[in-house]
Amino acid sequence: MVESQVLTVAQMRAAEQDLIDRGSSVDRLMKLAGDGAAEWVWRLASRRRVTVLCGPGNNGGDGYVIAENLRRRGAEVTVVAPMAPKTDAAKSARSRFGGPVVSDGGKAKGGVLVDCLFGSGLTRPLEPEHALALRDLGKRHEQLIAIDLPSGIESDGGKILNENLPAYDLTLALGAWKYAHWRLPARFRMGELRLVPIGIGHCESAARLIGKPNIGPPASDAHKYTRGLCAVIAGKMAGAALLSSKAAMRAGAGYVKLVSDHSHPSAPAGLVLETGDLDEALAHRRVRAVLIGPGLGRDDEARSKLASVLASKKSAVLDADALHLLDPSQLQRDCSYLATPHDGELEALCRNFAVLAADRAGKALGLAKASGMVVVAKGPDTVVAAPDGTLALAKPAPTWLSTAGTGDILAGIAVSRMATGIPAFEAACEAVWLHGEAARLAGPAFIADDLAHKVADAMAAAL
Ligand SMILES: NC(=O)C1=CN([C@@H]2O[C@H](COP(=O)(O)OP(=O)(O)OC[C@H]3O[C@@H](n4cnc5c(N)ncnc54)[C@H](O)[C@@H]3O)[C@@H](O)[C@H]2O)[C@@H](O)CC1
Ligand SMILES: Nc1ncnc2c1ncn2[C@@H]1O[C@H](COP(=O)(O)OP(=O)(O)O)[C@@H](O)[C@H]1O
Ligand SMILES: [K+]
């Protein structure tokens, strides 16, 4: 879906060029973008005075289109342009604006500031005088709207290039989402996000935004085995694998087995406990997916359990300690693996698989390619990467997830989705969405046990 694609600057330029090759023009796209954005500004301003801060490039050009649109509707608009327009499209948009343009925004104040200083073309930090002007104007306006991106943000990486820049109430993404709209720290400066369409088509290599999955109830002839049997392998810390099992029981699999040497007196009655030989448990033909890692430990016994899981050639979710113990040569060809590292585990895996990359998305993609595993690089802005280079970005999840045991829940959901028989990448994206939704439904200050219970409600929301 076009609305869920997330583009790099290079992909955005190619998509715009594609539209131009089909008969559009930069001026026409700028008019579409500016008029679409003006609609939002008009509503938010509701007759208050508007200041539009315009830069030298096409982001500034959008600003002149917005300003003229508002002026024609009768709004009181001032353009502040500390730099003259440089691109042909921006110059021509400037020439069509019939209102006042000042180069110094020292006196400008009002209801709404529209930031069109720089957009996706920003390649280096703002000059100090421009950063200062933006900061001062931000203080003198009641509400701030960023066009395409807040100025001072790097589009592909989501980095904030200048300190003390304002936070926005609304950011209007033009044509398509850029990475910065969904990456940290940029995301938290943008306020509400809205997409203004300009006719950008489907881009094959684009990353996608993880949205609500369409899961559906079990088939009319379903039974527990057709829905999928998954096995969770416990280790040293009994609680972690139990948490994973509780989440797995609520995430779609028809049958969840906890293979453990512990007694688990608080386990739900519906959870099947297996205490016998691990290789025998894994050999059962109905076991469709296995989870190993939560609470596993890192001793010889843990190492041997991991070796058994990998030797069984079952589809597997590898989490926590299993990611530290993993030897690249243990991964079997033609087996489906899903790894769920947090940043520390991702670092260790990248060292182990000789992957060099700067950010979480780059590391996840590099690791997926080098290992053949689907990688869920989890954190405040989780990404999912597949070995073929497909990338999916999660929308921000509640920060209450930053509590012990929530990763065990994610791994439990993931193995349950995998046990239903869907491909690992889809299982990973569904798991990330269900995990975030369960956290939303759990409200503030939940503990991992509460989160496991809310997985059923998250499933209900996806039906
Ligand atoms: N290309 C197109 O067809 C369209 C582009 N659109 C707009 O165009 C924007 C991208 O336009 P541009 O590529 O012109 O880039 P910007 O307007 O974001 O930046 C302008 C130019 O300033 C220079 N620059 C970069 N960092 C700077 C700094 N720190 N200080 C001073 N100068 C700096 C660069 O040469 C950059 O190209 C998008 O964000 C969007 O708002 C929209 O109008 C829709 C159509
Ligand atoms: N600040 C945050 N905002 C949103 N989600 C977070 C945040 N911190 C952690 N999470 C999520 O919580 C989970 C934590 O997993 P992990 O670090 O493995 O914890 P544990 O090992 O204690 O289970 C991950 O899914 C991660 O994406
Ligand atoms: K901007």
Side-chain angles (χ1 to χ4, degrees), residues 59 115-118 147 149-151:
N59 195 249
D115 168 11
C116 299
L117 198 54
F118 292 104
I147 299 303
L149 292 164
S151 300

